[in-house]
């Protein structure tokens, strides 16, 4: 639900977005939301800092986007789980976020004749998150995904057919 905001008053949201190991995440997109409404955004700099000024006083959720992964402050995967931050007139709220841990799904897809297949890849998590990728000229793909989650890997083949890993034609039988 949308929050009511005071007329005329504004503040800022700023902070840092770092890896679980404390390294900077550069060029991540940080967005302030009022419910589903976009309020402001910034990209993290070389030190992982961001600053979003001119945010009307009120309560907001903060989204962090990098490597095609979305998470919300503080360290959750959905906006429904996010804890709103309160921006006050003339105030500055610091939201330092540590990225959720990730892993990699990777593989090689070959055509029946052994040549590399050029396909699109969808890795869909059981929690509803997903990642897109595609194969390179050698048929190799790689997708960054959240750690600790199970993923269904779907391959969009050149002839508009879909195949699921490992070698299944139907989603229900994929492992």
């Amino acid at each position: 639900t949308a929050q009511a905001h005071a007329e005329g008053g504004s503040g800022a949201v700023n902070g840092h977005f770092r890896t679980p190991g404390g390294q900077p995440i550069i060029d991540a997109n940080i967005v302030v939301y009022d419910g589903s409404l976009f309020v402001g955004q910034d990209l993290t700099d070389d030190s992982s800092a961001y600053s979003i000024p001119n945010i009307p006083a009120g309560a907001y959720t903060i989204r962090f986007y990098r490597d095609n992964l979305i998470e919300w402050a503080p360290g959750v995967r959905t906006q429904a789980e996010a804890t709103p931050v309160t921006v006050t007139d003339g105030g500055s709220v610091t939201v330092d976020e540590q990225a959720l841990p990730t892993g990699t799904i990777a593989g090689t897809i070959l055509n029946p004749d052994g040549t590399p297949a050029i396909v699109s890849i969808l890795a869909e998590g059981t929690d509803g998150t997903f990642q897109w990728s595609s194969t390179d000229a050698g048929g190799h793909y790689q997708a960054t995904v959240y750690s600790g989650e199970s993923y269904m890997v779907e391959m969009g083949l050149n002839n508009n057919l879909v195949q699921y890993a490992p070698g299944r034609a139907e989603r229900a039988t994929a492992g």
Side-chain angles (χ1 to χ4, degrees):
T1 61
Q3 302 289 324
H5 300 289
E7 290 293 322
S10 67
V13 176
N14 57 55
H16 293 84
F17 185 36
R18 294 190 172 102
T19 67
Q23 298 300 311
I25 298 175
I26 301 167
D27 290 331
N29 180 246
I30 315 305
V31 181
V32 175
Y33 280 96
D34 176 5
S36 63
L37 300 175
F38 168 90
V39 179
Q41 70 178 338
D42 193 19
L43 294 176
T44 55
D45 65 16
D46 290 347
S47 69
S48 77
Y50 67 93
S51 182
I52 308 168
N54 304 316
I55 303 297
Y60 300 95
T61 53
I62 313 301
R63 186 191 79 178
F64 296 80
Y65 178 78
R66 47 71 176 168
D67 297 327
N68 292 325
L69 293 171
I70 294 173
E71 59 191 79
W72 299 81
V76 295
R77 293 186 191 171
T78 67
Q79 187 177 20
E81 299 172 291
T83 301
V85 298
T86 301
V87 175
T88 59
D89 183 15
S92 180
V93 177
T94 299
V95 181
D96 288 328
E97 184 74 7
Q98 179 176 306
L100 294 169
T102 60
T104 301
I105 294 175
T108 302
I109 302 174
L110 303 174
N111 291 310
D113 66 3
T115 60
I118 305 300
V119 300
S120 60
I121 305 295
L122 171 65
E124 183 179 352
T126 53
D127 67 348
T129 60
F130 61 90
Q131 277 287 56
W132 286 100
S133 184
S134 59
T135 55
D136 62 17
H140 309 288
Y141 70 92
Q142 180 173 314
T144 302
V145 296
Y146 288 118
S147 295
E149 185 66 42
S150 295
Y151 288 86
M152 171 88 57
V153 177
E154 175 182 309
M155 292 146 276
L157 306 174
N158 295 335
N159 53 5
N160 292 325
L161 296 176
V162 174
Q163 179 175 318
Y164 300 89
R168 307 289 182 185
E170 295 182 20
R171 182 181 187 92
T173 61

